[in-house]
Amino acid sequence: MSDPQSIRAAQLREELNYHIYRYNVLGSPVITDGEYDQLYHELRQLEEMHPELITPDSPTQRAGSDLTEDFPKVRHAAPILSLPNAFSVEDLQDWETRNLKLLPAGTQLDYTLEPKLDGLTIVITYENGVLKQAATRGNGDLGDDVTANVRTIRSIPLKIPTRPDGPLAPPLLVVRGEVLFLKKDFEAVNKRQAEQELPLYINARNTASGTLKQKDSRITASRPLSCFVYAVVASGGIKWDTQWETLEYLRDMGFPVAPDAGYFPTLSHIIQQLPTWESRRHRLDFEIDGVVIKINDLRVQDELGFVGKDPRGSTAYKFPAEEMTTKLTGVTVNIGRTGKVTPTAQLEPVFLGGVTVVNASLHNYDQIEKLDIRLGDTVIVKRSGEVIPYVIGPVIGARDGSETPIQPPSHCPFCNTAIVQPEGLVDYYCPNITCPERVYRSLEFFVSKGAMDIEGMGGQTVKMLIDKGLIHDEADIFTLQAEPLLELDGFGEKKVDNLLASIAAAKQRPLDQLIASLGIDGVGSVVAGTLADRFRSVEALQTASVEAIDEIEGIGEVLAQSVVEWFAAPHHQQLIEKFRAAGVNLQAAEKVKAGDSLAGKTFVLTGTLPTLSREQAAALIESHGGKVSGSVSKKTSYVLMGDSPGSKAEKAQALGVTIISEADLLAMVGKQ
Ligand code: IVH
């Protein structure tokens, strides 16, 4: 046969088998799991439509195996199955339709929805409540005995039930779960690697796998693995009717069960949940690569049986791939408003998370060196939610020797000033405060929504005004006149009127907003608010010493230094003078005093309040003579607590500080 489909199937078989070899034998994959899944799915679909294309060497015909030579083998109590994949709502609907055809007419299916944890399967055997054995999935029938390593994972109970009120342990209980790194733990592992100047790990899942399969369990113990349990493989006589009850039983027994699992009466309910999951994913403590949908009725699951290594009654819904491999073709140098040099990767176009990505962040040169990223490398690029795409790291196995190291630039590409690396910092800087790129970036930031919020003036307008010589710094904006503006392309009378009106309005922005807009390194809106509050005018802030600023709670010495240095630069002093001359507000508004019922009291805020924002609550306290502080001590009078409070609430309790609610506060100031 040499029709296009059989040619494509042969191509896919060859490619997939090569990637299986790279992954399992060489331990050096050259594509991401997501890319592998896509190829596999394509072959699967081809074979489903044309079963005659299935050959014995097709990767779909074997259960994958991760057996190694390092461990004794153990036979699983029941086959450890895998999951079929769905990539779209349509795939899910087809899955249900196929199942309904196999079941008695009129069957109603309900489901559970669980996160698809991105780790590796572990099968743990308890005899009379005591952990006896733990094995990897292996080839589904035989697994590697990694009991000693699993015993080092703290979330896995060595004895069940772990809760005094838990159900009595049966004589035999074999559970299945997933071993992984919590995101914070993986970051900590890499931080330690960096401290010891060792190479960084790129992929949490592969690192978890490598950690679990260490021959020396002391190495496993030194890295904080976690585990979540989601199924019972075998049990001494106990049977559960549903998956939902199984999860409840496991939780009651004291096993770690992933939070956020849900029960839903129909597939439509499940489908409605999917968009929320894609955004929730980024807030979870662990990596997931999709969700798992299981028919809730376990008898129905049994009845449906399996195809190859995939059960019919459960399926994975995979999120669109967030990681892809592509070629790093170049590195461009960007200069920010503070002069910071950031390298940006130029990539061969790659379709990722619904968009074509052609460039991505490389963080900084220190990171490039630590990850050993070279020009010409095949790299893994990640685009996750709203985050700017970034290069995770190189695929070392794909190198051909033509790759070249990446060096930081010696001179600024915009003003040719020598680039510097301040002592103790990882970043490089263009130190020239009149660098045209720095000026442009500062102005672009100054007018933006998060800063002075000058409506009708975006980056493009700023660029045009600089190019025409109409503005040279932030202050020039406030003396712009109508005539030269009217001559610009696309600027009619109405547009110019509107722009001048929003510039006039911006002259009256509160002091903290002005300070936050200046682009002082490290000074965002919170620090700007604190500075405005303490010094109450630009004049006072300009003459403040490092010590005076450093004394303020929440501001460290580095930040204080950066503020003082900024105001000391003659260029910035001139700028302030020009602001003054143009009539820009440089004073804090008088504090309105509403009463002094809270005089002498110190408050600490934690959590989300029902109606007031943090700023509003702080303003209310201060306007009644009270003080707001950032941390709880014995001197704190009250901790004002809202929803999801942080550790401050615990500290308050430990110190015996009174905890109050928003309603209590309102009552104290006579508002309720
Ligand atoms: S159930 C027949 N539930 O995903 C039961 N698996 O791609 C099949 N996985 O090998 C497994 N989270 O390692 C199940 N909540 C979850 C899961 C889950 C992650 C893994 C598991 C499986 C792989 C299949």
Side-chain angles (χ1 to χ4, degrees), residues 592-599 620-626:
V592 206
K593 198 91 200 269
D596 52 12
S597 54
L598 305 180
L620 184 68
I621 291 168
E622 283 167 358
S623 69
H624 285 82

Side-chain angles (χ1 to χ4, degrees), residues 101-152:
K101 275 193 196 148
L102 296 170
L103 294 165
T107 306
Q108 296 275 337
L109 295 176
D110 59 350
Y111 297 94
T112 63
L113 181 61
E114 299 167 33
K116 183 167 167 11
L117 307 154
D118 198 8
L120 62 148
T121 290
I122 191 77
V123 181
I124 317 171
T125 304
Y126 289 85
E127 282 172 23
N128 298 316
V130 179
L131 188 156
K132 275 280 143 68
Q133 190 179 69
T136 62
R137 180 174 173 282
N139 62 17
D141 295 319
L142 296 177
D144 279 334
D145 182 344
V146 288
T147 312
N149 290 345
V150 164
R151 293 174 71 89
T152 71

Side-chain angles (χ1 to χ4, degrees), residues 270-496:
I270 298 264
I271 290 169
Q272 272 173 20
Q273 294 296 315
L274 298 178
T276 338
W277 267 100
E278 283 187 33
S279 55
R280 180 185 301 166
R281 151 181 211 189
H282 303 114
R283 295 197 303 271
L284 292 176
D285 294 339
F286 41 82
E287 298 275 358
I288 64 173
D289 58 343
V291 287
V292 183
I293 301 154
K294 299 177 184 168
I295 293 178
N296 192 34
D297 190 328
L298 294 178
R299 255 181 332 205
V300 173
Q301 286 235 24
D302 274 352
E303 209 170 308
L304 284 168
F306 41 89
V307 212
K309 60 188 166 100
D310 295 339
R312 287 200 179 87
S314 304
T315 192
Y317 170 80
K318 289 274 199 129
F319 294 141
E322 287 197 327
E323 290 176 20
M324 295 285 252
T325 52
T326 187
K327 268 246 147 62
L328 175 66
T329 54
V331 177
T332 47
V333 173
N334 299 292
I335 305 289
R337 60 191 156 90
T338 59
K340 189 155 110 183
V341 181
T342 41
T344 301
Q346 304 301 310
L347 305 167
E348 264 176 21
V350 57
F351 196 66
L352 191 52
V355 300
T356 302
V357 173
V358 289
N359 42 50
S361 167
L362 276 165
H363 298 296
N364 55 51
Y365 288 95
D366 192 52
Q367 186 84 352
I368 292 178
E369 195 189 319
K370 284 212 175 96
L371 290 167
D372 187 22
I373 301 172
R374 302 182 194 174
L375 207 63
D377 260 340
T378 296
V379 289
I380 302 171
V381 183
K382 179 159 184 163
R383 179 173 180 271
S384 179
E386 297 310 306
V387 184
I388 299 169
Y390 63 96
V391 174
I392 294 195
V395 181
I396 309 271
R399 284 197 176 145
D400 64 11
S402 67
E403 300 76 14
T404 52
I406 298 166
Q407 303 287 352
S410 60
H411 289 81
C412 172
F414 299 95
C415 69
N416 211 28
T417 305
I419 294 294
V420 297
Q421 185 183 32
E423 216 179 295
L425 296 189
V426 287
D427 286 309
Y428 291 81
Y429 287 84
C430 164
N432 173 15
I433 47 180
T434 58
C435 166
E437 184 66 8
R438 283 187 62 173
V439 171
Y440 163 57
R441 294 289 173 198
S442 310
L443 284 166
E444 183 190 37
F445 171 72
F446 185 77
V447 302
S448 71
K449 260 213 160 55
M452 290 296 266
D453 192 12
I454 304 182
E455 212 177 309
M457 198 160 183
Q460 262 178 343
T461 310
V462 166
K463 191 149 235 164
M464 183 147 72
L465 295 175
I466 295 178
D467 286 350
K468 297 278 176 200
L470 293 178
I471 55 174
H472 306 91
D473 61 28
E474 289 84 343
D476 288 342
I477 294 170
F478 297 103
T479 52
L480 277 171
Q481 300 294 318
E483 288 76 42
L485 289 176
L486 284 165
E487 281 168 28
L488 299 176
D489 262 3
F491 276 69
E493 217 157 291
K494 185 130 196 276
K495 189 164 171 179
V496 170

Side-chain angles (χ1 to χ4, degrees), residues 442 445-446 450-453 474 512-520:
S442 310
F445 171 72
F446 185 77
M452 290 296 266
D453 192 12
E474 289 84 343
D512 60 333
Q513 201 172 339
L514 175 74
I515 296 175
S517 307
L518 296 174
I520 306 171

Side-chain angles (χ1 to χ4, degrees), residues 536-583:
R536 316 214 48 80
S537 73
V538 169
E539 205 170 7
L541 184 57
Q542 251 178 315
T543 50
S545 64
V546 173
E547 294 73 34
I549 301 176
D550 184 19
E551 259 174 28
I552 309 171
E553 210 180 311
I555 299 187
E557 201 191 323
V558 177
L559 204 58
Q561 197 92 41
S562 143
V563 172
V564 168
E565 266 170 31
W566 195 92
F567 281 106
H571 175 76
H572 292 144
Q573 285 172 357
Q574 271 168 24
L575 182 71
I576 302 288
E577 269 327 298
K578 284 171 77 175
F579 278 143
R580 200 185 310 279

